[in-house]
Amino acid sequence: MRVFLCEKPSQGKDIARVLGAGQRDNGCYSGAGVVVTWCIGHLVEAVPPEGYGEQYKRWALEQLP
C-alpha cells in the first residue's frame, strides 16, 4: 500500500481521482492499493536565511553570486 499526503482536501480529492482511490473514508480516500489523505494548512515553509548560514542573517549585496 502507498500513502499520499496532500496539503489540502481539494488536492487530495484530485490526486485520489487520478490514482483510482474512489472509496471516501473519514479524512482520506482509498482504493487500488493507495490511501490519499491530507492536512489542513501548509506542510512546508521556507527556512529563514540564517538557517542556511549565519552569514545570511543580514542581507548584503556582496553575498550574491
Side-chain angles (χ1 to χ4, degrees):
M1 176 182 299
R2 296 181 301 168
V3 177
F4 294 84
L5 178 60
C6 302
E7 189 170 346
K8 52 189 175 182
S10 61
Q11 182 186 39
K13 183 178 181 181
D14 291 340
I15 290 174
R17 181 179 45 79
V18 169
L19 295 175
Q23 170 99 25
R24 175 74 158 100
D25 294 318
N26 187 19
C28 69
Y29 289 93
S30 61
V34 300
V35 173
V36 180
T37 189
W38 50 85
C39 295
I40 304 296
H42 297 285
L43 297 177
V44 180
E45 67 179 46
V47 174
E50 60 269 16
Y52 294 101
E54 196 60 33
Q55 71 272 25
Y56 301 120
K57 188 170 186 171
R58 182 164 164 80
W59 189 87
L61 187 60
E62 300 81 41
Q63 296 169 342
L64 296 177

